[in-house]
Amino acid sequence: MKTVLIDCSPKKRMSASGFIASMTDVFLRGKREKEKLRVPADHARILEKVKDADNAVFSMPLYVDGVPSHVLPFLKEAEEYCRENGLHPNVYVIANNGFIEGRQNEPLMRIMENFCDRAGLIWKGGLGIGGGVMMNVMRIMITVFFALMLISLVLSGFGTAPLITFGQQLLSVLLLGCGIIAFDLRLAACINRGKSYGKHYTRIMVPSFVFILFADIFFTVLSVFQGGIFRGWLKAKKPETVSRKQAE
Ligand SMILES: Cc1cc2nc3c(=O)[nH]c(=O)nc-3n(C[C@H](O)[C@H](O)[C@H](O)COP(=O)(O)O)c2cc1C
Protein backbone atom coordinates (compact mmCIF):
# COMPACT_ATOMS: atom_id res chain seq x y z
CA MET A 1 0.00 0.00 0.00
CA LYS A 2 1.33 3.42 -0.96
CA THR A 3 0.19 6.72 0.56
CA VAL A 4 1.17 10.17 -0.67
CA LEU A 5 0.82 12.92 1.94
CA ILE A 6 0.54 16.36 0.34
CA ASP A 7 1.29 19.39 2.52
CA CYS A 8 -0.66 22.13 0.74
CA SER A 9 0.38 25.06 2.92
CA PRO A 10 2.12 27.84 0.96
CA LYS A 11 4.49 28.35 3.92
CA LYS A 12 8.02 27.15 3.25
CA ARG A 13 8.47 25.96 6.82
CA MET A 14 6.66 25.76 10.16
CA SER A 15 3.25 25.09 8.64
CA ALA A 16 0.57 23.46 10.76
CA SER A 17 -0.40 21.40 7.69
CA GLY A 18 3.14 20.04 7.42
CA PHE A 19 3.19 19.23 11.13
CA ILE A 20 -0.11 17.29 11.06
CA ALA A 21 0.94 15.50 7.85
CA SER A 22 4.17 14.39 9.55
CA MET A 23 2.24 13.23 12.61
CA THR A 24 -0.17 11.21 10.44
CA ASP A 25 2.81 9.74 8.59
CA VAL A 26 4.07 8.26 11.89
CA PHE A 27 0.81 6.32 12.33
CA LEU A 28 0.66 4.97 8.75
CA ARG A 29 1.76 1.58 7.46
CA GLY A 30 3.22 0.71 4.04
CA LYS A 31 5.12 2.97 1.67
CA ARG A 32 4.70 6.70 2.38
CA GLU A 33 5.85 9.72 0.47
CA LYS A 34 5.53 13.29 1.72
CA GLU A 35 5.17 16.07 -0.82
CA LYS A 36 4.90 19.86 -0.65
CA LEU A 37 2.47 21.71 -2.92
CA ARG A 38 3.34 25.41 -3.12
CA VAL A 39 3.96 26.38 -6.72
CA PRO A 40 2.92 25.14 -10.21
CA ALA A 41 6.38 23.54 -10.60
CA ASP A 42 5.33 21.03 -7.90
CA HIS A 43 2.32 19.71 -9.86
CA ALA A 44 3.98 17.23 -12.26
CA ARG A 45 6.17 15.73 -9.52
CA ILE A 46 3.24 15.16 -7.16
CA LEU A 47 1.01 13.72 -9.88
CA GLU A 48 3.78 11.29 -10.83
CA LYS A 49 3.88 10.12 -7.19
CA VAL A 50 0.09 9.76 -7.08
CA LYS A 51 0.12 7.58 -10.22
CA ASP A 52 0.74 4.31 -8.36
CA ALA A 53 -0.61 5.43 -4.96
CA ASP A 54 -3.54 3.83 -3.14
CA ASN A 55 -4.16 6.87 -0.97
CA ALA A 56 -3.68 10.63 -1.37
CA VAL A 57 -3.85 12.60 1.87
CA PHE A 58 -4.25 16.36 1.41
CA SER A 59 -3.23 18.39 4.44
CA MET A 60 -4.17 22.03 3.97
CA PRO A 61 -5.04 25.30 5.69
CA LEU A 62 -8.49 26.85 5.38
CA TYR A 63 -8.30 30.07 3.39
CA VAL A 64 -11.36 32.33 3.24
CA ASP A 65 -13.63 29.41 4.11
CA GLY A 66 -12.28 27.32 1.26
CA VAL A 67 -9.34 25.63 -0.43
CA PRO A 68 -6.24 27.89 -0.80
CA SER A 69 -6.16 29.42 -4.29
CA HIS A 70 -2.78 27.91 -5.22
CA VAL A 71 -4.28 24.43 -4.72
CA LEU A 72 -7.12 24.99 -7.23
CA PRO A 73 -4.97 24.83 -10.42
CA PHE A 74 -3.44 21.63 -9.03
CA LEU A 75 -6.88 20.09 -8.54
CA LYS A 76 -7.81 21.05 -12.11
CA GLU A 77 -4.66 19.41 -13.46
CA ALA A 78 -5.14 16.38 -11.20
CA GLU A 79 -8.68 15.93 -12.50
CA GLU A 80 -7.45 15.69 -16.12
CA TYR A 81 -4.42 13.58 -15.19
CA CYS A 82 -6.45 11.05 -13.20
CA ARG A 83 -9.08 10.77 -15.92
CA GLU A 84 -6.49 10.29 -18.68
CA ASN A 85 -4.63 7.65 -16.68
CA GLY A 86 -7.69 5.96 -15.19
CA LEU A 87 -6.56 6.64 -11.62
CA HIS A 88 -8.93 6.22 -8.67
CA PRO A 89 -6.91 6.65 -5.45
CA ASN A 90 -8.62 7.08 -2.11
CA VAL A 91 -8.64 10.72 -0.99
CA TYR A 92 -8.48 11.84 2.65
CA VAL A 93 -8.29 15.49 3.72
CA ILE A 94 -6.88 17.06 6.88
CA ALA A 95 -7.79 20.74 7.08
CA ASN A 96 -6.77 23.18 9.78
CA ASN A 97 -7.99 26.71 10.35
CA GLY A 98 -7.14 29.79 12.39
CA PHE A 99 -10.40 30.17 14.28
CA ILE A 100 -11.05 27.82 17.18
CA GLU A 101 -13.99 25.88 15.69
CA GLY A 102 -12.88 22.95 13.52
CA ARG A 103 -16.32 22.80 11.95
CA GLN A 104 -15.46 25.91 9.94
CA ASN A 105 -13.62 23.52 7.60
CA GLU A 106 -16.92 22.03 6.40
CA PRO A 107 -17.09 24.08 3.13
CA LEU A 108 -13.51 23.01 2.30
CA MET A 109 -14.50 19.37 2.85
CA ARG A 110 -17.43 19.78 0.48
CA ILE A 111 -15.18 21.33 -2.18
CA MET A 112 -12.81 18.37 -1.92
CA GLU A 113 -15.69 15.88 -1.96
CA ASN A 114 -17.04 17.50 -5.14
CA PHE A 115 -13.57 17.46 -6.67
CA CYS A 116 -13.31 13.71 -6.03
CA ASP A 117 -16.75 13.14 -7.49
CA ARG A 118 -15.88 15.02 -10.67
CA ALA A 119 -12.38 13.58 -11.10
CA GLY A 120 -13.46 10.00 -10.38
CA LEU A 121 -11.40 9.73 -7.19
CA ILE A 122 -12.70 7.97 -4.11
CA TRP A 123 -13.66 10.41 -1.35
CA LYS A 124 -12.91 8.76 2.00
CA GLY A 125 -13.51 11.68 4.34
CA GLY A 126 -11.69 14.30 6.26
CA LEU A 127 -10.64 15.77 9.57
CA GLY A 128 -11.10 19.48 10.34
CA ILE A 129 -8.95 21.02 13.10
CA GLY A 130 -9.76 24.33 14.77
CA GLY A 131 -7.01 26.50 16.28
CA GLY A 132 -4.49 24.91 13.92
CA VAL A 133 -1.85 27.51 14.61
CA MET A 134 -1.60 26.15 18.16
CA MET A 135 0.01 23.01 16.73
CA ASN A 136 3.06 25.13 15.99
CA VAL A 137 2.92 26.58 19.50
CA MET A 138 2.84 23.01 20.83
CA ARG A 139 5.94 21.93 18.97
CA ILE A 140 7.80 25.10 19.99
CA MET A 141 6.79 24.50 23.63
CA ILE A 142 8.03 20.89 23.51
CA THR A 143 11.38 22.01 22.03
CA VAL A 144 11.80 24.79 24.63
CA PHE A 145 10.84 22.50 27.55
CA PHE A 146 13.26 19.86 26.26
CA ALA A 147 16.11 22.38 26.00
CA LEU A 148 15.35 23.68 29.52
CA MET A 149 15.34 20.12 30.83
CA LEU A 150 18.79 19.47 29.34
CA ILE A 151 20.16 22.66 30.94
CA SER A 152 18.56 21.81 34.32
CA LEU A 153 19.91 18.25 34.10
CA VAL A 154 23.46 19.54 33.72
CA LEU A 155 23.04 22.22 36.42
CA SER A 156 21.47 19.77 38.90
CA GLY A 157 24.20 17.17 38.39
CA PHE A 158 21.85 14.80 36.49
CA GLY A 159 19.15 14.53 39.16
CA THR A 160 15.67 13.20 38.42
CA ALA A 161 13.76 16.44 39.19
CA PRO A 162 14.23 18.00 35.70
CA LEU A 163 13.00 14.77 34.10
CA ILE A 164 9.84 14.78 36.22
CA THR A 165 9.20 18.46 35.43
CA PHE A 166 9.68 17.78 31.71
CA GLY A 167 7.29 14.82 31.92
CA GLN A 168 4.62 17.05 33.50
CA GLN A 169 5.17 19.78 30.91
CA LEU A 170 5.00 17.27 28.06
CA LEU A 171 1.74 15.84 29.43
CA SER A 172 0.16 19.30 29.65
CA VAL A 173 1.13 20.06 26.03
CA LEU A 174 -0.22 16.68 24.88
CA LEU A 175 -3.45 17.44 26.75
CA LEU A 176 -3.89 20.54 24.57
CA GLY A 177 -3.60 18.34 21.50
CA CYS A 178 -5.38 15.23 22.78
CA GLY A 179 -8.41 15.76 20.50
CA ILE A 180 -6.19 16.21 17.46
CA ILE A 181 -4.06 13.18 18.31
CA ALA A 182 -7.08 10.93 18.96
CA PHE A 183 -8.90 11.94 15.75
CA ASP A 184 -5.70 11.70 13.73
CA LEU A 185 -5.01 8.19 15.06
CA ARG A 186 -8.48 7.13 13.97
CA LEU A 187 -7.95 8.70 10.55
CA ALA A 188 -4.64 6.86 10.14
CA ALA A 189 -6.33 3.57 11.12
CA CYS A 190 -8.93 4.17 8.36
CA ILE A 191 -6.20 4.98 5.79
CA ASN A 192 -4.32 1.81 6.74
CA ARG A 193 -7.45 -0.26 6.12
CA GLY A 194 -8.66 1.76 3.09
CA LYS A 195 -11.85 2.50 5.00
CA SER A 196 -14.09 5.57 4.92
CA TYR A 197 -13.44 8.00 7.77
CA GLY A 198 -16.48 10.23 7.37
CA LYS A 199 -16.12 13.85 8.39
CA HIS A 200 -14.94 14.73 11.87
CA TYR A 201 -14.11 18.03 13.49
CA THR A 202 -11.95 18.71 16.50
CA ARG A 203 -10.00 21.59 17.97
CA ILE A 204 -7.18 22.48 20.25
CA MET A 205 -8.30 21.85 23.86
CA VAL A 206 -8.26 25.45 25.06
CA PRO A 207 -11.40 27.31 26.21
CA SER A 208 -12.51 29.73 23.46
CA PHE A 209 -12.17 32.88 25.62
CA VAL A 210 -8.55 31.97 26.49
CA PHE A 211 -7.76 31.18 22.85
CA ILE A 212 -9.23 34.49 21.62
CA LEU A 213 -7.36 36.47 24.28
CA PHE A 214 -4.01 34.90 23.39
CA ALA A 215 -4.69 35.13 19.64
CA ASP A 216 -5.38 38.88 20.04
CA ILE A 217 -2.14 39.37 21.98
CA PHE A 218 -0.18 37.27 19.46
CA PHE A 219 -1.44 39.15 16.41
CA THR A 220 -0.96 42.56 18.08
CA VAL A 221 2.67 41.70 18.88
CA LEU A 222 3.15 40.30 15.37
CA SER A 223 1.74 43.42 13.75
CA VAL A 224 4.08 45.60 15.84
CA PHE A 225 7.11 43.67 14.58
CA GLN A 226 5.97 43.03 11.04
CA GLY A 227 3.76 46.01 10.28
CA GLY A 228 4.33 48.63 12.97
CA ILE A 229 1.59 50.16 15.13
CA PHE A 230 -0.76 52.33 13.06
CA ARG A 231 1.85 52.45 10.29
CA GLY A 232 -0.63 51.27 7.72
CA TRP A 233 -3.38 53.61 8.96
CA LEU A 234 -1.36 56.82 9.15
CA LYS A 235 0.79 56.36 6.07
CA ALA A 236 -0.09 58.73 3.24
CA LYS A 237 -1.60 56.60 0.52
CA LYS A 238 -0.30 57.16 -2.98
CA PRO A 239 -2.75 56.43 -5.77
CA GLU A 240 -1.62 53.51 -7.90
CA THR A 241 -0.41 54.79 -11.25
CA VAL A 242 -0.47 52.51 -14.22
CA SER A 243 1.45 53.59 -17.28
CA ARG A 244 -0.21 53.44 -20.67
CA LYS A 245 2.28 50.72 -21.69
CA GLN A 246 1.41 48.56 -18.63
CA ALA A 247 -2.30 49.07 -19.19
CA GLU A 248 -1.94 47.81 -22.77
C1 LIG B 1 -5.23 34.28 3.27
C2 LIG B 1 -5.68 33.57 4.52
C3 LIG B 1 -7.02 33.26 4.69
C4 LIG B 1 -7.47 32.61 5.85
N1 LIG B 1 -8.79 32.32 6.00
C5 LIG B 1 -9.23 31.70 7.12
C6 LIG B 1 -10.62 31.44 7.31
O1 LIG B 1 -11.47 31.71 6.47
N2 LIG B 1 -11.02 30.85 8.47
C7 LIG B 1 -10.12 30.50 9.44
O2 LIG B 1 -10.53 29.97 10.47
N3 LIG B 1 -8.77 30.72 9.28
C8 LIG B 1 -8.31 31.31 8.15
N4 LIG B 1 -6.97 31.54 7.97
C9 LIG B 1 -6.02 31.08 8.98
C10 LIG B 1 -5.32 29.75 8.55
O3 LIG B 1 -6.27 28.78 8.18
C11 LIG B 1 -4.51 29.23 9.74
O4 LIG B 1 -3.54 30.18 10.10
C12 LIG B 1 -3.85 27.89 9.49
O5 LIG B 1 -3.48 27.32 10.73
C13 LIG B 1 -2.61 28.00 8.60
O6 LIG B 1 -2.15 26.70 8.34
P1 LIG B 1 -0.68 26.39 7.75
O7 LIG B 1 0.31 26.75 8.83
O8 LIG B 1 -0.70 24.94 7.46
O9 LIG B 1 -0.51 27.23 6.52
C14 LIG B 1 -6.52 32.22 6.84
C15 LIG B 1 -5.16 32.53 6.65
C16 LIG B 1 -4.74 33.20 5.51
C17 LIG B 1 -3.28 33.54 5.35
PDB file of all heavy atoms in Angstrom, residues 52-65:
ATOM      1  N   ASP A  52       0.855   5.702  -8.849  1.00  0.00           N
ATOM      2  CA  ASP A  52       0.742   4.313  -8.361  1.00  0.00           C
ATOM      3  C   ASP A  52       0.355   4.276  -6.873  1.00  0.00           C
ATOM      4  O   ASP A  52       0.623   3.301  -6.182  1.00  0.00           O
ATOM      5  CB  ASP A  52       2.055   3.559  -8.602  1.00  0.00           C
ATOM      6  CG  ASP A  52       3.228   4.217  -7.883  1.00  0.00           C
ATOM      7  OD1 ASP A  52       3.100   5.394  -7.487  1.00  0.00           O
ATOM      8  OD2 ASP A  52       4.266   3.548  -7.710  1.00  0.00           O
ATOM      9  N   ALA A  53      -0.258   5.377  -6.397  1.00  0.00           N
ATOM     10  CA  ALA A  53      -0.607   5.425  -4.959  1.00  0.00           C
ATOM     11  C   ALA A  53      -2.020   4.884  -4.713  1.00  0.00           C
ATOM     12  O   ALA A  53      -2.892   5.014  -5.563  1.00  0.00           O
ATOM     13  CB  ALA A  53      -0.520   6.855  -4.446  1.00  0.00           C
ATOM     14  N   ASP A  54      -2.195   4.279  -3.547  1.00  0.00           N
ATOM     15  CA  ASP A  54      -3.538   3.826  -3.145  1.00  0.00           C
ATOM     16  C   ASP A  54      -4.292   4.966  -2.467  1.00  0.00           C
ATOM     17  O   ASP A  54      -5.504   5.059  -2.558  1.00  0.00           O
ATOM     18  CB  ASP A  54      -3.421   2.648  -2.162  1.00  0.00           C
ATOM     19  CG  ASP A  54      -2.624   1.515  -2.758  1.00  0.00           C
ATOM     20  OD1 ASP A  54      -3.187   0.782  -3.573  1.00  0.00           O
ATOM     21  OD2 ASP A  54      -1.412   1.398  -2.452  1.00  0.00           O
ATOM     22  N   ASN A  55      -3.534   5.782  -1.729  1.00  0.00           N
ATOM     23  CA  ASN A  55      -4.156   6.875  -0.967  1.00  0.00           C
ATOM     24  C   ASN A  55      -3.451   8.199  -1.210  1.00  0.00           C
ATOM     25  O   ASN A  55      -2.222   8.240  -1.258  1.00  0.00           O
ATOM     26  CB  ASN A  55      -4.060   6.606   0.543  1.00  0.00           C
ATOM     27  CG  ASN A  55      -4.604   5.252   0.917  1.00  0.00           C
ATOM     28  OD1 ASN A  55      -5.743   4.910   0.610  1.00  0.00           O
ATOM     29  ND2 ASN A  55      -3.772   4.448   1.580  1.00  0.00           N
ATOM     30  N   ALA A  56      -4.241   9.269  -1.346  1.00  0.00           N
ATOM     31  CA  ALA A  56      -3.678  10.628  -1.368  1.00  0.00           C
ATOM     32  C   ALA A  56      -4.269  11.353  -0.175  1.00  0.00           C
ATOM     33  O   ALA A  56      -5.493  11.407  -0.010  1.00  0.00           O
ATOM     34  CB  ALA A  56      -4.045  11.333  -2.662  1.00  0.00           C
ATOM     35  N   VAL A  57      -3.390  11.869   0.681  1.00  0.00           N
ATOM     36  CA  VAL A  57      -3.847  12.603   1.873  1.00  0.00           C
ATOM     37  C   VAL A  57      -3.477  14.075   1.699  1.00  0.00           C
ATOM     38  O   VAL A  57      -2.295  14.415   1.669  1.00  0.00           O
ATOM     39  CB  VAL A  57      -3.203  12.039   3.167  1.00  0.00           C
ATOM     40  CG1 VAL A  57      -3.719  12.790   4.389  1.00  0.00           C
ATOM     41  CG2 VAL A  57      -3.467  10.547   3.304  1.00  0.00           C
ATOM     42  N   PHE A  58      -4.487  14.919   1.544  1.00  0.00           N
ATOM     43  CA  PHE A  58      -4.248  16.356   1.408  1.00  0.00           C
ATOM     44  C   PHE A  58      -4.299  16.985   2.792  1.00  0.00           C
ATOM     45  O   PHE A  58      -5.302  16.860   3.484  1.00  0.00           O
ATOM     46  CB  PHE A  58      -5.336  17.013   0.551  1.00  0.00           C
ATOM     47  CG  PHE A  58      -5.266  16.663  -0.916  1.00  0.00           C
ATOM     48  CD1 PHE A  58      -5.892  15.534  -1.403  1.00  0.00           C
ATOM     49  CD2 PHE A  58      -4.574  17.478  -1.799  1.00  0.00           C
ATOM     50  CE1 PHE A  58      -5.838  15.221  -2.760  1.00  0.00           C
ATOM     51  CE2 PHE A  58      -4.515  17.175  -3.151  1.00  0.00           C
ATOM     52  CZ  PHE A  58      -5.150  16.035  -3.631  1.00  0.00           C
ATOM     53  N   SER A  59      -3.224  17.668   3.179  1.00  0.00           N
ATOM     54  CA  SER A  59      -3.231  18.390   4.443  1.00  0.00           C
ATOM     55  C   SER A  59      -3.134  19.867   4.102  1.00  0.00           C
ATOM     56  O   SER A  59      -2.145  20.309   3.514  1.00  0.00           O
ATOM     57  CB  SER A  59      -2.036  17.946   5.296  1.00  0.00           C
ATOM     58  OG  SER A  59      -2.040  18.631   6.513  1.00  0.00           O
ATOM     59  N   MET A  60      -4.177  20.634   4.444  1.00  0.00           N
ATOM     60  CA  MET A  60      -4.172  22.031   3.967  1.00  0.00           C
ATOM     61  C   MET A  60      -4.799  23.006   4.961  1.00  0.00           C
ATOM     62  O   MET A  60      -5.618  22.615   5.795  1.00  0.00           O
ATOM     63  CB  MET A  60      -4.897  22.120   2.628  1.00  0.00           C
ATOM     64  CG  MET A  60      -6.351  21.779   2.655  1.00  0.00           C
ATOM     65  SD  MET A  60      -7.092  22.056   1.045  1.00  0.00           S
ATOM     66  CE  MET A  60      -6.671  20.559   0.188  1.00  0.00           C
ATOM     67  N   PRO A  61      -4.398  24.285   4.847  1.00  0.00           N
ATOM     68  CA  PRO A  61      -5.042  25.304   5.692  1.00  0.00           C
ATOM     69  C   PRO A  61      -6.354  25.748   5.065  1.00  0.00           C
ATOM     70  O   PRO A  61      -6.532  25.623   3.845  1.00  0.00           O
ATOM     71  CB  PRO A  61      -4.028  26.446   5.685  1.00  0.00           C
ATOM     72  CG  PRO A  61      -3.289  26.305   4.395  1.00  0.00           C
ATOM     73  CD  PRO A  61      -3.304  24.849   4.025  1.00  0.00           C
ATOM     74  N   LEU A  62      -7.236  26.268   5.887  1.00  0.00           N
ATOM     75  CA  LEU A  62      -8.485  26.855   5.383  1.00  0.00           C
ATOM     76  C   LEU A  62      -8.191  28.307   5.031  1.00  0.00           C
ATOM     77  O   LEU A  62      -7.696  29.062   5.859  1.00  0.00           O
ATOM     78  CB  LEU A  62      -9.561  26.790   6.472  1.00  0.00           C
ATOM     79  CG  LEU A  62     -10.913  27.411   6.123  1.00  0.00           C
ATOM     80  CD1 LEU A  62     -11.693  26.495   5.183  1.00  0.00           C
ATOM     81  CD2 LEU A  62     -11.736  27.671   7.383  1.00  0.00           C
ATOM     82  N   TYR A  63      -8.476  28.678   3.805  1.00  0.00           N
ATOM     83  CA  TYR A  63      -8.301  30.074   3.386  1.00  0.00           C
ATOM     84  C   TYR A  63      -9.645  30.619   2.925  1.00  0.00           C
ATOM     85  O   TYR A  63     -10.244  30.079   1.988  1.00  0.00           O
ATOM     86  CB  TYR A  63      -7.292  30.171   2.238  1.00  0.00           C
ATOM     87  CG  TYR A  63      -5.829  30.243   2.645  1.00  0.00           C
ATOM     88  CD1 TYR A  63      -5.416  30.016   3.956  1.00  0.00           C
ATOM     89  CD2 TYR A  63      -4.850  30.548   1.711  1.00  0.00           C
ATOM     90  CE1 TYR A  63      -4.078  30.082   4.322  1.00  0.00           C
ATOM     91  CE2 TYR A  63      -3.503  30.619   2.070  1.00  0.00           C
ATOM     92  CZ  TYR A  63      -3.128  30.379   3.373  1.00  0.00           C
ATOM     93  OH  TYR A  63      -1.806  30.440   3.731  1.00  0.00           O
ATOM     94  N   VAL A  64     -10.092  31.676   3.580  1.00  0.00           N
ATOM     95  CA  VAL A  64     -11.362  32.335   3.236  1.00  0.00           C
ATOM     96  C   VAL A  64     -12.468  31.285   3.054  1.00  0.00           C
ATOM     97  O   VAL A  64     -13.135  31.218   2.018  1.00  0.00           O
ATOM     98  CB  VAL A  64     -11.220  33.233   1.991  1.00  0.00           C
ATOM     99  CG1 VAL A  64     -12.349  34.265   1.951  1.00  0.00           C
ATOM    100  CG2 VAL A  64      -9.888  33.949   1.961  1.00  0.00           C
ATOM    101  N   ASP A  65     -12.598  30.456   4.076  1.00  0.00           N
ATOM    102  CA  ASP A  65     -13.629  29.405   4.111  1.00  0.00           C
ATOM    103  C   ASP A  65     -13.535  28.412   2.961  1.00  0.00           C
ATOM    104  O   ASP A  65     -14.543  27.782   2.595  1.00  0.00           O
ATOM    105  CB  ASP A  65     -15.037  30.019   4.146  1.00  0.00           C
ATOM    106  CG  ASP A  65     -15.367  30.557   5.531  1.00  0.00           C
ATOM    107  OD1 ASP A  65     -14.680  30.163   6.498  1.00  0.00           O
ATOM    108  OD2 ASP A  65     -16.290  31.379   5.655  1.00  0.00           O
TER     109      ASP A  65
END
